[in-house]
Amino acid sequence: MANLFRSSGGSSRCCTLMFFAFIIATISAFTPPSSSLSTRSQHFQLSAVPSPERMFDYSSKPPTFNKQTSLWEPSTETEEPPYGAFGSFLRGGPTPFLVRVLKPSEYDQAVFKYMAQTSCSRAEAQGNMDAFFNNAADWAYQKSEEARGRPKVDYTQLKPKDAILVITWALFVTPLLGRCGYLIAATGNWGITVDDILNF
């Protein structure tokens, strides 16, 4: 790290410092609030979560469990998915997106089970499962707080701020971090410049 401050070019030091400031600012935007489970109760067990309640009225017949196949099956009244894998990506980040792409059956089973347990719509179930796959501990903490009378979170909403942060991380921050990490490892020098980063 000392090489950073002994770098010959002032512009390279400035570029590196700006790079780290950008990383810190971006990461802080993803930091959960202080009331989050991740800062208070890391050992929270999902089994201790009270049965969640639906947020919106829904009168259609919920999915049922088939004991012969040990699978949850949609009813004839179950609606089609309200949004695809990219919608899960924008709402919950890369983890629910990857679950939907790589394990679609597991994702659907989680959605159907949630619908059956809460008699909620598929949209509400998908929003909750996207939040669950993104951070199961925080989701469980939120549900336990709701059971105590705290305000409910609408996971069906696509929040523009969250979507912008997800896209920024996916398209800009992660490739930038990868490129900088590669340059530092390849050259052994922390004093990289913008020209170094952009010169492929």
Side-chain angles (χ1 to χ4, degrees):
M1 188 72 179
N3 290 337
L4 171 63
F5 300 101
R6 289 200 296 264
S7 176
S8 57
S11 62
S12 64
R13 287 196 301 268
C14 180
C15 175
T16 305
L17 290 174
M18 288 177 59
F19 167 70
F20 282 114
F22 173 74
I23 291 174
I24 292 170
T26 308
I27 291 174
S28 66
F30 282 90
T31 304
S34 59
S35 62
S36 168
L37 172 71
S38 57
T39 59
R40 291 174 56 180
S41 177
Q42 290 288 347
H43 302 292
F44 188 84
Q45 298 296 319
L46 289 179
S47 59
V49 181
S51 297
E53 297 180 2
R54 68 182 181 205
M55 189 166 189
F56 306 104
D57 290 334
Y58 183 72
S59 58
S60 297
K61 183 180 178 182
T64 56
F65 185 73
N66 188 326
K67 294 182 179 180
Q68 293 181 340
T69 61
S70 296
L71 294 173
W72 290 94
E73 297 178 349
S75 71
T76 55
E77 300 177 14
T78 300
E79 61 270 29
E80 292 296 315
Y83 55 84
F86 188 67
S88 293
F89 174 75
L90 293 177
R91 287 168 175 80
T95 305
F97 171 80
L98 291 174
V99 172
R100 289 194 73 170
V101 171
L102 301 178
K103 299 179 179 179
S105 178
E106 178 180 319
Y107 181 87
D108 286 341
Q109 285 296 297
V111 169
F112 293 150
K113 181 177 181 180
Y114 190 86
M115 291 179 69
Q117 289 178 337
T118 63
S119 297
C120 72
S121 68
R122 189 163 188 165
E124 185 174 344
Q126 280 195 194
N128 275 273
M129 290 302 96
D130 289 340
F132 172 80
F133 286 121
N134 179 49
N135 190 327
D138 278 356
W139 178 85
Y141 175 75
Q142 174 60 34
K143 290 302 173 184
S144 68
E145 290 296 290
E146 291 177 5
R148 296 187 181 98
R150 297 290 179 87
K152 295 182 179 181
V153 173
D154 182 6
Y155 291 111
T156 64
Q157 286 186 345
L158 177 56
K159 300 175 183 176
K161 178 184 175 182
D162 293 344
I164 291 171
L165 288 175
V166 167
I167 292 173
T168 300
W169 267 96
L171 300 181
F172 300 104
V173 177
T174 302
L176 180 65
L177 290 174
R179 176 67 176 164
C180 292
Y182 167 77
L183 289 173
I184 292 170
T187 63
N189 181 14
W190 283 83
I192 57 177
T193 65
V194 173
D195 290 336
D196 294 332
I197 296 172
L198 301 179
N199 185 20
F200 288 95

